[in-house]
mmCIF file of all heavy atoms in Angstrom:
data_model
loop_
_atom_site.group_PDB
_atom_site.id
_atom_site.type_symbol
_atom_site.label_atom_id
_atom_site.label_comp_id
_atom_site.label_asym_id
_atom_site.label_seq_id
_atom_site.Cartn_x
_atom_site.Cartn_y
_atom_site.Cartn_z
ATOM 1 N N LYS A 28 -25.026 -0.361 -3.716
ATOM 2 C CA LYS A 28 -25.149 0.872 -2.937
ATOM 3 C C LYS A 28 -26.195 1.810 -3.540
ATOM 4 O O LYS A 28 -26.929 2.476 -2.801
ATOM 5 C CB LYS A 28 -23.795 1.571 -2.852
ATOM 6 C CG LYS A 28 -22.772 0.837 -1.995
ATOM 7 C CD LYS A 28 -21.435 1.559 -1.986
ATOM 8 C CE LYS A 28 -20.412 0.828 -1.140
ATOM 9 N NZ LYS A 28 -19.086 1.521 -1.144
ATOM 10 N N ALA A 29 -26.247 1.883 -4.856
ATOM 11 C CA ALA A 29 -27.238 2.746 -5.501
ATOM 12 C C ALA A 29 -28.652 2.260 -5.210
ATOM 13 O O ALA A 29 -29.564 3.064 -4.949
ATOM 14 C CB ALA A 29 -26.991 2.789 -7.007
ATOM 15 N N ILE A 30 -28.859 0.949 -5.217
ATOM 16 C CA ILE A 30 -30.177 0.396 -4.906
ATOM 17 C C ILE A 30 -30.528 0.650 -3.441
ATOM 18 O O ILE A 30 -31.677 0.993 -3.109
ATOM 19 C CB ILE A 30 -30.218 -1.106 -5.219
ATOM 20 C CG1 ILE A 30 -30.018 -1.341 -6.720
ATOM 21 C CG2 ILE A 30 -31.532 -1.728 -4.754
ATOM 22 C CD1 ILE A 30 -29.867 -2.803 -7.100
ATOM 23 N N ALA A 31 -29.533 0.500 -2.543
ATOM 24 C CA ALA A 31 -29.777 0.639 -1.106
ATOM 25 C C ALA A 31 -29.887 2.081 -0.649
ATOM 26 O O ALA A 31 -30.233 2.336 0.510
ATOM 27 C CB ALA A 31 -28.668 -0.066 -0.332
ATOM 28 N N GLY A 32 -29.565 3.045 -1.516
ATOM 29 C CA GLY A 32 -29.678 4.445 -1.146
ATOM 30 C C GLY A 32 -28.489 4.991 -0.390
ATOM 31 O O GLY A 32 -28.601 6.010 0.303
ATOM 32 N N ILE A 33 -27.327 4.359 -0.502
ATOM 33 C CA ILE A 33 -26.130 4.831 0.206
ATOM 34 C C ILE A 33 -25.005 5.181 -0.767
ATOM 35 O O ILE A 33 -23.850 5.303 -0.361
ATOM 36 C CB ILE A 33 -25.628 3.791 1.228
ATOM 37 C CG1 ILE A 33 -25.302 2.464 0.540
ATOM 38 C CG2 ILE A 33 -26.661 3.587 2.335
ATOM 39 C CD1 ILE A 33 -24.666 1.436 1.470
ATOM 40 N N CYS A 34 -25.322 5.338 -2.029
ATOM 41 C CA CYS A 34 -24.305 5.682 -3.023
ATOM 42 C C CYS A 34 -24.025 7.182 -2.965
ATOM 43 O O CYS A 34 -24.948 8.005 -2.940
ATOM 44 C CB CYS A 34 -24.782 5.278 -4.415
ATOM 45 S SG CYS A 34 -23.593 5.645 -5.726
ATOM 46 N N GLU A 35 -22.752 7.550 -2.942
ATOM 47 C CA GLU A 35 -22.362 8.953 -2.868
ATOM 48 C C GLU A 35 -22.246 9.617 -4.234
ATOM 49 O O GLU A 35 -22.052 10.831 -4.311
ATOM 50 C CB GLU A 35 -21.032 9.076 -2.114
ATOM 51 C CG GLU A 35 -21.094 8.591 -0.669
ATOM 52 C CD GLU A 35 -19.768 8.686 0.035
ATOM 53 O OE1 GLU A 35 -18.765 9.030 -0.650
ATOM 54 O OE2 GLU A 35 -19.698 8.429 1.250
ATOM 55 N N GLY A 36 -22.343 8.848 -5.294
ATOM 56 C CA GLY A 36 -22.242 9.418 -6.628
ATOM 57 C C GLY A 36 -23.567 9.977 -7.115
ATOM 58 O O GLY A 36 -24.606 9.897 -6.430
ATOM 59 N N GLN A 37 -23.539 10.540 -8.301
ATOM 60 C CA GLN A 37 -24.755 11.056 -8.930
ATOM 61 C C GLN A 37 -25.456 9.918 -9.654
ATOM 62 O O GLN A 37 -24.859 9.233 -10.483
ATOM 63 C CB GLN A 37 -24.393 12.172 -9.919
ATOM 64 C CG GLN A 37 -23.747 13.388 -9.268
ATOM 65 C CD GLN A 37 -23.339 14.430 -10.288
ATOM 66 O OE1 GLN A 37 -23.232 14.140 -11.475
ATOM 67 N NE2 GLN A 37 -23.119 15.651 -9.825
ATOM 68 N N THR A 38 -26.735 9.705 -9.321
ATOM 69 C CA THR A 38 -27.479 8.581 -9.879
ATOM 70 C C THR A 38 -28.602 9.065 -10.787
ATOM 71 O O THR A 38 -29.155 10.154 -10.604
ATOM 72 C CB THR A 38 -28.085 7.721 -8.755
ATOM 73 O OG1 THR A 38 -28.956 8.532 -7.956
ATOM 74 C CG2 THR A 38 -26.987 7.142 -7.863
ATOM 75 N N SER A 39 -28.931 8.218 -11.754
ATOM 76 C CA SER A 39 -30.072 8.477 -12.637
ATOM 77 C C SER A 39 -30.611 7.145 -13.104
ATOM 78 O O SER A 39 -29.934 6.113 -13.025
ATOM 79 C CB SER A 39 -29.656 9.340 -13.835
ATOM 80 O OG SER A 39 -28.692 8.666 -14.635
ATOM 81 N N GLY A 40 -31.838 7.141 -13.588
ATOM 82 C CA GLY A 40 -32.472 5.907 -14.017
ATOM 83 C C GLY A 40 -33.666 5.593 -13.138
ATOM 84 O O GLY A 40 -34.264 6.487 -12.518
ATOM 85 N N HIS A 41 -34.004 4.305 -13.045
ATOM 86 C CA HIS A 41 -35.197 3.909 -12.292
ATOM 87 C C HIS A 41 -34.891 2.665 -11.459
ATOM 88 O O HIS A 41 -34.355 1.680 -11.978
ATOM 89 C CB HIS A 41 -36.355 3.612 -13.248
ATOM 90 C CG HIS A 41 -36.686 4.751 -14.159
ATOM 91 N ND1 HIS A 41 -37.460 5.823 -13.767
ATOM 92 C CD2 HIS A 41 -36.329 4.993 -15.444
ATOM 93 C CE1 HIS A 41 -37.576 6.674 -14.768
ATOM 94 N NE2 HIS A 41 -36.891 6.194 -15.802
ATOM 95 N N VAL A 42 -35.253 2.732 -10.170
ATOM 96 C CA VAL A 42 -35.172 1.593 -9.264
ATOM 97 C C VAL A 42 -36.497 1.539 -8.515
ATOM 98 O O VAL A 42 -36.915 2.539 -7.918
ATOM 99 C CB VAL A 42 -34.013 1.720 -8.260
ATOM 100 C CG1 VAL A 42 -34.003 0.533 -7.299
ATOM 101 C CG2 VAL A 42 -32.676 1.825 -8.981
ATOM 102 N N SER A 43 -37.144 0.373 -8.536
ATOM 103 C CA SER A 43 -38.440 0.262 -7.861
ATOM 104 C C SER A 43 -38.567 -1.087 -7.183
ATOM 105 O O SER A 43 -37.949 -2.079 -7.590
ATOM 106 C CB SER A 43 -39.586 0.450 -8.858
ATOM 107 O OG SER A 43 -39.578 -0.580 -9.840
ATOM 108 N N MET A 44 -39.389 -1.107 -6.130
ATOM 109 C CA MET A 44 -39.671 -2.334 -5.392
ATOM 110 C C MET A 44 -41.182 -2.465 -5.284
ATOM 111 O O MET A 44 -41.848 -1.640 -4.649
ATOM 112 C CB MET A 44 -39.036 -2.279 -4.001
ATOM 113 C CG MET A 44 -39.286 -3.516 -3.172
ATOM 114 S SD MET A 44 -38.474 -4.962 -3.888
ATOM 115 C CE MET A 44 -39.300 -6.251 -2.975
ATOM 116 N N GLY A 45 -41.721 -3.487 -5.942
ATOM 117 C CA GLY A 45 -43.164 -3.656 -5.963
ATOM 118 C C GLY A 45 -43.884 -2.486 -6.600
ATOM 119 O O GLY A 45 -45.016 -2.155 -6.218
ATOM 120 N N GLY A 46 -43.224 -1.839 -7.549
ATOM 121 C CA GLY A 46 -43.819 -0.702 -8.235
ATOM 122 C C GLY A 46 -43.554 0.629 -7.574
ATOM 123 O O GLY A 46 -43.846 1.686 -8.155
ATOM 124 N N GLU A 47 -42.996 0.637 -6.360
ATOM 125 C CA GLU A 47 -42.697 1.877 -5.644
ATOM 126 C C GLU A 47 -41.288 2.353 -5.983
ATOM 127 O O GLU A 47 -40.318 1.602 -5.814
ATOM 128 C CB GLU A 47 -42.816 1.673 -4.135
ATOM 129 C CG GLU A 47 -44.226 1.366 -3.651
ATOM 130 C CD GLU A 47 -45.159 2.546 -3.840
ATOM 131 O OE1 GLU A 47 -44.681 3.697 -3.717
ATOM 132 O OE2 GLU A 47 -46.348 2.316 -4.120
ATOM 133 N N PRO A 48 -41.149 3.593 -6.459
ATOM 134 C CA PRO A 48 -39.797 4.086 -6.819
ATOM 135 C C PRO A 48 -38.916 4.236 -5.582
ATOM 136 O O PRO A 48 -39.374 4.684 -4.524
ATOM 137 C CB PRO A 48 -40.084 5.439 -7.476
ATOM 138 C CG PRO A 48 -41.418 5.860 -6.954
ATOM 139 C CD PRO A 48 -42.186 4.614 -6.709
ATOM 140 N N LEU A 49 -37.654 3.853 -5.736
ATOM 141 C CA LEU A 49 -36.703 3.898 -4.624
ATOM 142 C C LEU A 49 -35.563 4.881 -4.851
ATOM 143 O O LEU A 49 -34.975 5.366 -3.875
ATOM 144 C CB LEU A 49 -36.098 2.509 -4.389
ATOM 145 C CG LEU A 49 -37.044 1.354 -4.067
ATOM 146 C CD1 LEU A 49 -36.240 0.079 -3.867
ATOM 147 C CD2 LEU A 49 -37.886 1.665 -2.841
ATOM 148 N N LEU A 50 -35.208 5.147 -6.086
ATOM 149 C CA LEU A 50 -34.025 5.960 -6.361
ATOM 150 C C LEU A 50 -34.194 7.359 -5.779
ATOM 151 O O LEU A 50 -35.193 8.037 -6.029
ATOM 152 C CB LEU A 50 -33.784 6.047 -7.862
ATOM 153 C CG LEU A 50 -32.369 6.477 -8.291
ATOM 154 C CD1 LEU A 50 -31.342 5.458 -7.820
ATOM 155 C CD2 LEU A 50 -32.295 6.628 -9.803
ATOM 156 N N GLY A 51 -33.225 7.770 -5.000
ATOM 157 C CA GLY A 51 -33.279 9.078 -4.366
ATOM 158 C C GLY A 51 -33.789 9.046 -2.940
ATOM 159 O O GLY A 51 -33.664 10.043 -2.214
ATOM 160 N N LEU A 52 -34.331 7.900 -2.483
ATOM 161 C CA LEU A 52 -34.795 7.797 -1.099
ATOM 162 C C LEU A 52 -33.617 7.583 -0.163
ATOM 163 O O LEU A 52 -32.617 6.961 -0.536
ATOM 164 C CB LEU A 52 -35.776 6.631 -0.945
ATOM 165 C CG LEU A 52 -37.122 6.729 -1.652
ATOM 166 C CD1 LEU A 52 -37.946 5.481 -1.360
ATOM 167 C CD2 LEU A 52 -37.867 7.979 -1.205
ATOM 168 N N PRO A 53 -33.687 8.051 1.092
ATOM 169 C CA PRO A 53 -32.644 7.746 2.071
ATOM 170 C C PRO A 53 -32.648 6.263 2.401
ATOM 171 O O PRO A 53 -33.641 5.554 2.174
ATOM 172 C CB PRO A 53 -33.030 8.605 3.280
ATOM 173 C CG PRO A 53 -34.486 8.870 3.123
ATOM 174 C CD PRO A 53 -34.741 8.923 1.649
ATOM 175 N N ALA A 54 -31.547 5.799 2.958
ATOM 176 C CA ALA A 54 -31.352 4.366 3.162
ATOM 177 C C ALA A 54 -32.442 3.747 4.032
ATOM 178 O O ALA A 54 -32.926 2.639 3.747
ATOM 179 C CB ALA A 54 -29.984 4.115 3.767
ATOM 180 N N HIS A 55 -32.859 4.420 5.099
ATOM 181 C CA HIS A 55 -33.848 3.810 5.992
ATOM 182 C C HIS A 55 -35.206 3.675 5.309
ATOM 183 O O HIS A 55 -35.979 2.763 5.620
ATOM 184 C CB HIS A 55 -33.969 4.608 7.298
ATOM 185 C CG HIS A 55 -34.587 5.954 7.149
ATOM 186 N ND1 HIS A 55 -33.886 7.053 6.695
ATOM 187 C CD2 HIS A 55 -35.864 6.394 7.397
ATOM 188 C CE1 HIS A 55 -34.683 8.101 6.669
ATOM 189 N NE2 HIS A 55 -35.893 7.728 7.098
ATOM 190 N N LYS A 56 -35.513 4.560 4.370
ATOM 191 C CA LYS A 56 -36.753 4.434 3.610
ATOM 192 C C LYS A 56 -36.700 3.248 2.645
ATOM 193 O O LYS A 56 -37.713 2.579 2.405
ATOM 194 C CB LYS A 56 -37.027 5.718 2.831
ATOM 195 C CG LYS A 56 -37.329 6.932 3.702
ATOM 196 C CD LYS A 56 -38.676 6.786 4.397
ATOM 197 C CE LYS A 56 -39.031 8.052 5.162
ATOM 198 N NZ LYS A 56 -40.344 7.917 5.878
ATOM 199 N N VAL A 57 -35.533 2.987 2.097
ATOM 200 C CA VAL A 57 -35.367 1.833 1.213
ATOM 201 C C VAL A 57 -35.576 0.538 2.000
ATOM 202 O O VAL A 57 -36.220 -0.408 1.513
ATOM 203 C CB VAL A 57 -33.968 1.854 0.559
ATOM 204 C CG1 VAL A 57 -33.728 0.582 -0.252
ATOM 205 C CG2 VAL A 57 -33.810 3.087 -0.331
ATOM 206 N N VAL A 58 -35.041 0.502 3.231
ATOM 207 C CA VAL A 58 -35.242 -0.680 4.076
ATOM 208 C C VAL A 58 -36.724 -0.884 4.366
ATOM 209 O O VAL A 58 -37.227 -2.014 4.364
ATOM 210 C CB VAL A 58 -34.439 -0.539 5.384
ATOM 211 C CG1 VAL A 58 -34.752 -1.700 6.337
ATOM 212 C CG2 VAL A 58 -32.947 -0.488 5.099
ATOM 213 N N GLU A 59 -37.453 0.194 4.588
ATOM 214 C CA GLU A 59 -38.886 0.095 4.863
ATOM 215 C C GLU A 59 -39.654 -0.460 3.667
ATOM 216 O O GLU A 59 -40.739 -1.027 3.815
ATOM 217 C CB GLU A 59 -39.457 1.467 5.233
ATOM 218 C CG GLU A 59 -38.948 2.037 6.547
ATOM 219 C CD GLU A 59 -39.494 1.293 7.759
ATOM 220 O OE1 GLU A 59 -40.304 0.355 7.591
ATOM 221 O OE2 GLU A 59 -39.110 1.646 8.890
ATOM 222 N N GLN A 60 -39.084 -0.337 2.470
ATOM 223 C CA GLN A 60 -39.723 -0.870 1.273
ATOM 224 C C GLN A 60 -39.405 -2.356 1.059
ATOM 225 O O GLN A 60 -39.915 -2.961 0.116
ATOM 226 C CB GLN A 60 -39.293 -0.072 0.040
ATOM 227 C CG GLN A 60 -39.773 1.367 0.046
ATOM 228 C CD GLN A 60 -41.293 1.468 0.006
ATOM 229 O OE1 GLN A 60 -41.959 0.663 -0.646
ATOM 230 N NE2 GLN A 60 -41.836 2.463 0.704
ATOM 231 N N GLY A 61 -38.568 -2.917 1.929
ATOM 232 C CA GLY A 61 -38.329 -4.358 1.864
ATOM 233 C C GLY A 61 -37.004 -4.776 1.255
ATOM 234 O O GLY A 61 -36.877 -5.921 0.799
ATOM 235 N N ILE A 62 -36.013 -3.883 1.261
ATOM 236 C CA ILE A 62 -34.687 -4.228 0.726
ATOM 237 C C ILE A 62 -33.649 -4.058 1.835
ATOM 238 O O ILE A 62 -33.588 -3.009 2.487
ATOM 239 C CB ILE A 62 -34.319 -3.341 -0.475
ATOM 240 C CG1 ILE A 62 -35.278 -3.609 -1.632
ATOM 241 C CG2 ILE A 62 -32.879 -3.601 -0.919
ATOM 242 C CD1 ILE A 62 -35.005 -2.781 -2.859
ATOM 243 N N ALA A 63 -32.849 -5.098 2.066
ATOM 244 C CA ALA A 63 -31.809 -5.062 3.086
ATOM 245 C C ALA A 63 -30.463 -5.404 2.448
ATOM 246 O O ALA A 63 -30.389 -6.287 1.581
ATOM 247 C CB ALA A 63 -32.116 -6.040 4.219
ATOM 248 N N LEU A 64 -29.427 -4.726 2.885
ATOM 249 C CA LEU A 64 -28.082 -4.910 2.340
ATOM 250 C C LEU A 64 -27.143 -5.442 3.417
ATOM 251 O O LEU A 64 -27.074 -4.887 4.520
ATOM 252 C CB LEU A 64 -27.533 -3.587 1.795
ATOM 253 C CG LEU A 64 -26.053 -3.572 1.395
ATOM 254 C CD1 LEU A 64 -25.792 -4.509 0.217
ATOM 255 C CD2 LEU A 64 -25.597 -2.151 1.066
ATOM 256 N N VAL A 65 -26.420 -6.516 3.092
ATOM 257 C CA VAL A 65 -25.319 -7.000 3.924
ATOM 258 C C VAL A 65 -24.045 -6.489 3.264
ATOM 259 O O VAL A 65 -23.630 -7.007 2.224
ATOM 260 C CB VAL A 65 -25.297 -8.533 4.017
ATOM 261 C CG1 VAL A 65 -24.131 -8.996 4.888
ATOM 262 C CG2 VAL A 65 -26.619 -9.051 4.568
#
């Protein structure tokens, strides 16, 4: 959930996809970066 951008808790650290930072982005922006969650 933290990677997908749908975690309700407080997050810190670094998550990136192809060098693009993802942590803190809304879920639909994370999907646009190429990550999908089932």
Side-chain angles (χ1 to χ4, degrees):
K28 291 178 180 179
I30 296 173
I33 59 174
C34 180
E35 298 178 354
Q37 297 177 342
T38 59
S39 63
H41 304 279
V42 178
S43 63
M44 180 66 194
E47 294 293 326
L49 301 180
L50 199 63
L52 293 181
H55 69 280
K56 294 291 185 181
V57 174
V58 174
E59 293 289 358
Q60 294 296 324
I62 295 180
L64 171 65
V65 180

